[in-house]
Each structure stands twice: as C-alpha cells, then as structure tokens.
Amino acid sequence: MRHLRITAIASRDLEAISEYFLEKSVEAGDHFVQTFHQKCQHLARFPYIGKSYAQLRPGLRGLLLMDYIVFYQVVEDNVEILRVVSGYRDLRSIFANK
C-alpha cells in the first residue's frame, strides 16, 4: 500500500467544497467526506485505477467523485492528491503552466 499525501492546494479545494456542502446539506457534506476517504483508501491500494490526464500534465491521473475529479500523481511510493475540482471547470486552465 502506498502513502497518501494531500497537497496544500488540494486541502484548500476540499475546504471550499466542504463549506459549499455545509451551506446546502450536512448529509450531502458527510457523504462527500466519507466517499472521499473511501476513494483515497482505494487509491492507496490501486494507484493506477484513475483515468490518465497526461494531456493536461505528464503523469496526471484523475478519479471521479460525485461531480468532482480528484487529480493525483504517483511519485515513488506515494500518491499525491494535487487538486479536487468540479468536473465542469475548464481543466486545461487549472493545470496550465504547472
């Protein structure tokens, strides 16, 4: 099993998503958090399960989570969660020049 690391910007993404859900529905927020943790555990065991987004950034992978995409990369024995963003956003602009 690989180690999981959440970057600072991904933590800010998660915080913003949590705040959004708290305004709408505590139950939906709880569901998102639980599902995120389950996805992370699954990623730690099977890091290449996500879709390749190499066209946006070399080595970038993503896993769907409700209407969001958990973007990550596999580095040695680590899975680094880079961003958690809405799948409706302009993904190219998020990863431009990074």
Side-chain angles (χ1 to χ4, degrees):
M1 185 182 291
R2 297 179 189 256
H3 294 95
L4 202 66
R5 185 173 96 71
I6 300 175
T7 63
I9 194 163
S11 291
R12 288 192 296 272
D13 291 339
L14 290 167
E15 186 176 313
I17 294 166
S18 295
E19 287 177 14
Y20 169 79
F21 278 120
L22 281 175
E23 291 175 6
K24 302 294 179 189
S25 163
V26 172
E27 291 84 20
D30 286 344
H31 176 69
F32 178 84
V33 170
Q34 287 177 341
T35 306
F36 176 76
H37 285 289
Q38 289 170 350
K39 294 274 185 180
C40 287
Q41 290 174 349
H42 202 66
L43 269 178
R45 280 187 238 123
F46 307 102
Y48 295 99
I49 194 169
K51 175 184 171 183
S52 173
Y53 284 88
Q55 74 277 14
L56 299 176
R57 179 176 169 179
L60 185 66
R61 302 188 77 77
L63 198 59
L64 289 177
L65 171 60
M66 298 164 65
D67 289 337
Y68 297 88
I69 304 172
V70 178
F71 286 104
Y72 67 96
Q73 64 185 5
V74 179
V75 180
E76 297 175 8
D77 285 339
N78 297 308
V79 174
E80 293 182 335
I81 309 261
L82 303 174
R83 297 293 310 261
V84 182
V85 298
S86 169
Y88 298 106
R89 290 187 54 189
D90 178 6
L91 301 178
R92 289 201 183 280
S93 68
I94 292 170
F95 292 99
N97 300 319
K98 295 196 178 181

